[in-house]
Amino acid sequence: MSLKSTASRYGSVAMMFHWLTALAILALMVTGQMMDGLQDDARQIAILQWHVPMGLAVLLLTLARIAWWIFADRHPAPLASGWQGLAAKAGHAALYALLLVMTLSGVALMALSGGGEVVFFGSTAPLPEFGDYLPRIPHGLGARLMIALVVLHVAAAIWHQRIKRDGAMTRILPARK
């Protein structure tokens, strides 16, 4: 399999970026939901010790992925045209933008609240009330929007594969030998 994409398939680097990001987003959604409304500071700290580095990994993966597309590779030919092609481009652009907003708002939230000191550096201060800090608003709204976009993305992939039968999934999965 080629490192770079062809006109009909994604290359192995693009596939790696896609699937690592997908797994990390799923882990972030699960850990984020686990913390929602949680009152136990010790448990929330334990979850944040996974959630924050995973979010930073997604930021790095997203920036590397964007650089890969700008400097090293080209996307395969689109499967859809017209309004469906525009919807696909808009959906992907929204996912990229939201990944950046989510990670940057998370970093800002930890920095402004002092939560990083408690979570990673052993401060004995109580865990801050994250809802008191402005970055919590875009982070919380972004989480809900991310869930919606991921559901739409998966639904579109299934629709392409099962209804249109245009091989959408085979373009982003490693080739079988």
Side-chain angles (χ1 to χ4, degrees):
M1 174 176 298
S2 173
L3 291 176
K4 291 188 176 185
S5 303
T6 66
S8 60
R9 290 186 57 80
Y10 288 93
S12 57
V13 173
M15 287 183 202
M16 181 237 1
F17 281 137
H18 178 272
W19 292 109
L20 283 177
T21 303
L23 288 172
I25 290 169
L26 181 60
L28 287 166
M29 288 177 174
V30 168
T31 56
Q33 290 300 311
M34 288 170 65
M35 287 185 292
D36 195 27
L38 189 61
Q39 299 299 318
D40 180 0
D41 276 7
R43 188 151 181 240
Q44 189 169 2
I45 289 169
I47 295 168
L48 281 167
Q49 288 173 335
W50 286 94
H51 189 82
V52 173
M54 188 83 58
L56 292 173
V58 167
L59 176 61
L60 294 175
L61 279 168
T62 302
L63 294 174
R65 189 176 189 177
I66 290 168
W68 176 255
W69 287 124
I70 291 172
F71 299 113
D73 202 0
R74 296 289 172 255
H75 290 276
L79 291 175
S81 59
W83 73 268
Q84 291 176 349
L86 288 173
K89 280 188 179 206
H92 285 101
L95 280 167
Y96 278 98
L98 193 54
L99 286 171
L100 294 173
V101 167
M102 289 296 294
T103 55
L104 294 175
S105 66
V107 166
L109 185 59
M110 292 303 284
L112 292 174
S113 70
E117 292 291 324
V118 177
V119 174
F120 296 107
F121 300 108
S123 171
T124 57
L127 197 61
E129 180 56 50
F130 293 114
D132 293 343
Y133 297 89
L134 185 60
R136 180 64 180 100
I137 295 170
H139 202 72
L141 293 174
R144 287 164 180 75
L145 184 55
M146 181 63 75
I147 291 168
L149 285 174
V150 167
V151 167
L152 285 171
H153 185 72
V154 170
I158 292 169
W159 181 76
H160 271 278
Q161 190 67 21
R162 296 290 181 194
I163 307 299
K164 287 192 79 175
R165 298 188 184 275
D166 58 10
M169 290 300 293
T170 59
R171 291 165 43 114
I172 196 68
L173 290 171
R176 292 184 188 189
K177 293 187 180 195

